[in-house]
Amino acid sequence: MTTHPSAGARDWGGRLPRNETLVLDDEQRAAAERLHSGSVRWAEESGFAATDDDGGLIGPFNAFVLRPGPGKAFNRWVGTDQRDSSLSATVREVVILTVGAAWGAAYELYAHTAVARSVGLAEDAVRALHDGTAADVLTGDELVVHRFVDELVRTHRVSDDTYAAAEAALGRDGVLDAVHLTGMYLSVSALLNAFEIPAPEIPPAP
């Protein structure tokens, strides 16, 4: 069962106003309704909170209401990836947690720790992705994709050897999907960090 943080515990908007405190236009109200019926439901199913205990949006979801055009486009991108990616669910979460750890994006790590657990990524792998020891713990495709994404995010390039290993393990489509997913969560990390958006505490493993 997902635990929702208290509405008054922190300023969950960070540097942004909470949409619940504003007079929203029609497009913003429609965006909030879409998020509550889609992203919030998905978050609940995955084990993390996208709202506080009063139902107010937290994390990047509040920002998506404030600028509904880019928010809607981003969520279409997410939906396309979730439907069509050639990567396994656990490999996808390795990509996302690798990006979140490199950027220190608290809400991304909070949310996708829950998602990773829900899709069966081993708990020692989740912990290692947080603390920078993933290369010592991961194996197979998960290790290959972590090395690829970590190198890309931290050095902005990928060596020939790292690329060849990724293509051999994931195929060309898999590498393309990994890069698209990396870009998606670099965007989320930038949003979270630029606006100092806080996150609830990551719960212990069940």
Side-chain angles (χ1 to χ4, degrees):
M1 181 175 173
T2 302
T3 300
H4 294 261
S6 169
R10 301 186 66 173
D11 182 359
W12 295 109
R15 290 171 169 157
L16 295 172
R18 299 289 299 279
N19 73 84
E20 293 82 11
T21 69
L22 304 174
V23 177
L24 303 180
D25 62 28
D26 290 345
E27 190 178 7
Q28 290 170 325
R29 283 195 298 273
E33 290 170 4
R34 282 195 304 272
L35 288 164
H36 277 283
S37 64
S39 297
V40 171
R41 183 176 300 174
W42 169 72
E44 292 288 329
E45 293 170 353
S46 299
F48 71 94
T51 62
D52 61 32
D53 61 356
D54 282 343
L57 293 166
I58 63 174
F61 306 106
N62 178 63
F64 293 159
V65 172
L66 301 180
R67 290 291 290 162
K72 185 177 181 180
F74 179 83
N75 280 304
R76 282 200 302 267
W77 188 14
V78 171
T80 298
D81 175 77
Q82 289 174 336
R83 287 190 307 272
D84 300 339
S85 179
S86 65
L87 303 176
S88 71
T90 55
V91 166
R92 289 181 73 257
E93 294 309 313
V94 169
V95 172
I96 296 167
L97 289 174
T98 299
V99 174
W103 271 62
Y107 189 89
E108 187 171 320
L109 291 168
Y110 157 74
H112 283 275
T113 291
V115 180
R117 288 169 172 168
S118 76
V119 301
L121 187 64
E123 187 62 27
D124 62 343
V126 173
R127 289 196 303 270
L129 285 160
H130 279 259
D131 65 23
T133 61
D136 300 327
V137 173
L138 299 178
T139 59
D141 291 356
E142 293 168 3
L143 176 59
V144 170
V145 81
H146 167 70
R147 285 176 169 163
F148 179 92
V149 172
D150 193 63
E151 190 172 315
L152 178 60
V153 171
R154 294 183 190 276
T155 74
H156 313 146
R157 294 288 189 278
V158 177
S159 70
D160 288 343
D161 287 348
T162 301
Y163 180 87
E167 189 170 54
L170 306 174
R172 183 176 59 192
D173 285 352
V175 176
L176 283 165
D177 289 343
V179 172
H180 281 296
L181 188 59
T182 298
M184 188 183 302
Y185 282 91
L186 284 171
S187 175
V188 175
S189 295
L191 182 68
L192 294 169
N193 287 4
F195 296 106
E196 296 287 350
I197 295 172
E201 292 296 319
I202 296 172

